[in-house]
Amino acid sequence: MATNPPPKLQVRSSENDRLKRLKETFISKFGLAPVFYARAPGRVNLIGEHIDYCGYAVLPMAIEQDILTAVSLNKTQVIQLANTNPLYPDFTSRISDIHIDKTKPLWHYYFLCGLKGIQEHFSLACPPGINCAVDGTIPASSGLSSSSAMVCCAGLVTLEANKKTLSKVELAEICASCERYIGTEGGGMDQSISFLAEQGTAKLIEFNPVRATDVQLPDGAVFVIANCCVEMNKAATSHFNIRVMECRLAAKLLSKAKGLDWKRLLKLGDVHKEAGVTLEEMLATVEELLHPEPYSQQEICQCLGITLEELCTGILSQNTQDVTTFKLYQRAKHVYSEAARVLEFKDICDQTPAKAVQLLGELMNQSHVSCRDMYECSCPELDQLVDICLQSGAVGSRLTGAGWGGCTVSMVPNDKLDSFLSNVRESYYKTDARRAALETQSLFVTKPGGGAAVLLEV
């Protein structure tokens, strides 16, 4: 149940090699055994890209790869972080003096986001110090939500360390909000699925309020993740936050043109709701009221009847002040069409028609085309990988996650899986030495995994 707290599961490190290695690392680093462990999974979004922050439902599932932490408390009010990956240096700070630098998205800042979110929620005056060793199996900057999993795991660690209780939904909402400390204006999908995921089922995640509905994926096909090996860090690039702002501006212009309260409305989903029409009618409205040519700041001001100063101080975020043109038609068209595809995807899963696998594959393909052409969040390597996946037997393939690098997700009929994996290896990974070296962690079959949990050793 989403209203329950995350589960506390009993584990034996002697029966789990990864847990055993993490425990040994922790003891060598801090000189004592961990008191508890916590994990938060990454996710793959099957369909519904860049629409959660517009207020629309998405359809992800948790993956097996996760952030796993070993934790003990200290009486010095100091947080000490260590990472099993030597690329990520240790970090120490007084727990009352947390500083997060938006200009440098270092690994420990994501942990500090989750820590700070829980501290502020409970107004913790004297929280205990925390010793924490972190082990991650989610490829970084791959579109599988490694950063949000870190925030969620840190939030759960801080909750447990302070002996506080929150529901999965409350935790998801706090962690979605506090990730903005590092400058990511996300919509809440990643944190919601990390806490609300259940083994064996994908989830339709809806927002305002956050709620999750089981989506049983059809038999006869599996989902395969393939990393294009181009890294993209959401917080390190302006692309993501510009798209968020373009959607906000499109919502403002559409609501003003429709005679709605444009000053109050921030999301394309809000405009749709207030207008009281169908998604198809919203798409027609976009065609009617927005033009494909980019909008300048001056034109936006003219449409809204505001000054440039009012636009910059009242609407644009700090990191989009210098953007001179905005593509509003393309972004709105993607959002409304992608929102419709999500609902159609769920309907097909619920109704299980004879050609369910093919129908779902077609929706995934449409989604990728829209992400590539309308939202412009793909890259040449992702497009090449999608083409190779389709040529290798996938019925549907699309970028997943923010894009501009990272992973594809492909729907592959069971009887074509072996040849699919072989063909993708040969055609994409073995043609490039760097990709070939990364192939074992870059191409894998996935199934719906469980959500975040506290692990207690017995």
Side-chain angles (χ1 to χ4, degrees):
M1 286 283 292
T3 52
N4 292 341
K8 294 186 180 182
L9 308 175
Q10 295 191 328
V11 293
R12 295 180 193 275
S13 61
S14 59
E15 296 172 2
N16 182 311
D17 286 344
R18 185 175 168 218
L19 211 57
K20 186 179 176 184
R21 287 194 304 272
L22 182 59
K23 182 178 181 180
E24 288 167 355
T25 298
F26 187 94
I27 292 170
S28 70
K29 185 67 71 172
F30 300 114
L32 72 168
V35 175
F36 68 91
Y37 304 85
R39 74 172 291 270
R43 61 96 190 96
V44 58
N45 191 25
L46 300 179
I47 197 161
E49 223 57 75
H50 287 282
I51 63 172
D52 57 339
Y53 54 78
C54 295
Y56 283 110
V58 291
L59 214 154
M61 66 184 189
I63 57 176
E64 185 182 314
Q65 287 83 347
D66 64 8
I67 300 292
L68 177 66
T69 56
V71 186
S72 72
L73 308 184
N74 66 61
K75 295 177 181 177
T76 60
Q77 283 206 302
V78 167
I79 178 164
Q80 299 186 89
L81 298 177
N83 198 306
T84 58
N85 187 329
L87 292 175
Y88 302 132
D90 293 358
F91 173 80
T92 302
S93 171
R94 285 197 62 76
I95 215 154
S96 57
D97 188 28
I98 297 301
H99 172 69
I100 299 167
D101 186 350
K102 288 184 180 183
T103 65
K104 296 178 185 174
L106 303 174
W107 81 271
H108 59 266
Y109 288 149
Y110 291 96
F111 193 98
L112 296 181
C113 283
L115 176 84
K116 188 176 178 184
I118 296 299
Q119 279 186 352
E120 291 187 350
H121 179 79
F122 287 104
S123 302
L124 298 174
C126 294
I130 294 174
N131 308 315
C132 185
V134 178
D135 183 67
T137 53
I138 311 165
S141 302
S142 63
L144 300 177
S145 198
S146 59
S147 54
S148 295
M150 180 73 81
V151 175
C152 291
C153 200
L156 187 54
V157 164
T158 310
L159 192 74
E160 182 69 11
N162 287 277
K163 295 183 168 56
K164 300 291 184 181
T165 303
L166 289 169
S167 71
K168 296 175 191 176
V169 164
E170 288 169 322
L171 265 167
E173 289 177 333
I174 290 167
C175 289
S177 177
C178 69
E179 193 165 331
R180 290 173 191 141
Y181 294 138
I182 202 155
T184 304
E185 300 272 349
M189 166 177 63
D190 301 347
Q191 300 82 4
S192 297
I193 190 63
S194 195
F195 284 111
L196 298 174
E198 291 180 73
Q199 200 90 30
T201 180
K203 295 278 187 178
L204 180 79
I205 305 277
E206 298 170 272
F207 302 97
N208 304 314
V210 172
R211 54 210 185 276
T213 307
D214 290 359
V215 178
Q216 291 298 331
L217 301 169
D219 296 328
V222 294
F223 289 93
V224 181
I225 294 171
N227 192 339
C228 79
C229 302
V230 173
E231 288 193 3
M232 181 272 176
N233 187 313
K234 271 192 300 196
T237 179
S238 61
H239 292 311
F240 184 86
N241 289 331
I242 290 170
R243 293 298 181 279
V244 174
M245 189 50 57
E246 286 174 320
C247 291
R248 183 177 299 175
L249 290 168
K252 297 284 185 192
L253 264 66
L254 288 171
S255 54
K256 177 85 187 289
K258 296 290 284 182
L260 303 173
D261 184 2
W262 68 270
K263 290 185 178 179
R264 180 176 55 85
L265 300 177
L266 294 175
K267 299 176 181 178
L268 287 165
D270 295 338
V271 180
H272 172 205
K273 198 173 180 181
E274 295 263 328
V277 298
T278 65
L279 282 165
E280 289 70 24
E281 288 171 304
M282 283 310 304
L283 280 165
T285 299
V286 170
E287 294 288 346
E288 177 195 347
L289 298 177
L290 298 179
H291 56 68
E293 298 77 27
Y295 286 74
S296 66
Q297 288 191 358
Q298 289 74 15
E299 185 180 3
I300 289 166
C301 290
Q302 196 177 351
C303 291
L304 296 178
I306 59 175
T307 65
L308 200 55
E309 186 184 357
E310 286 171 322
L311 175 68
C312 291
T313 57
I315 300 176
L316 296 183
S317 58
Q318 193 178 349
N319 50 19
T320 56
Q321 301 273 326
D322 298 331
V323 181
T324 55
T325 59
F326 301 89
K327 292 187 177 181
L328 308 188
Y329 165 87
Q330 292 86 344
R331 311 317 182 214
K333 194 168 179 183
H334 166 77
V335 168
Y336 289 130
S337 63
E338 186 78 346
R341 282 187 286 271
V342 169
L343 300 180
E344 195 175 343
F345 195 101
K346 181 184 183 294
D347 286 346
I348 292 167
C349 290
D350 290 346
Q351 294 161 15
T352 62
K355 292 185 176 179
V357 170
Q358 285 74 19
L359 293 169
L360 295 176
E362 287 168 16
L363 289 172
M364 292 174 71
N365 293 336
Q366 291 168 20
S367 173
H368 183 74
V369 169
S370 184
C371 285
R372 182 191 69 202
D373 298 344
M374 291 290 109
Y375 221 71
E376 297 178 282
C377 61
S378 191
C379 68
E381 293 84 356
L382 275 173
D383 295 337
Q384 180 193 1
L385 185 50
V386 163
D387 288 344
I388 287 170
C389 289
L390 292 172
Q391 291 160 15
S392 300
V395 293
S397 188
R398 59 181 294 277
L399 67 83
T400 186
W404 299 287
C407 289
T408 62
V409 58
S410 299
M411 195 175 194
V412 183
N414 291 337
D415 59 354
K416 293 186 177 176
L417 179 60
D418 291 343
S419 63
F420 172 87
L421 293 171
S422 176
N423 288 342
V424 173
R425 278 190 199 103
E426 291 294 327
S427 302
Y428 190 78
Y429 293 100
K430 293 191 176 174
T431 58
D432 178 277
R434 182 175 166 274
R435 291 178 198 161
L438 297 169
E439 184 245 309
T440 50
Q441 72 225 50
S442 297
L443 181 66
F444 53 92
V445 180
T446 190
K447 54 190 177 188
V454 172
L455 311 176
L456 302 171
E457 191 157 11
V458 291

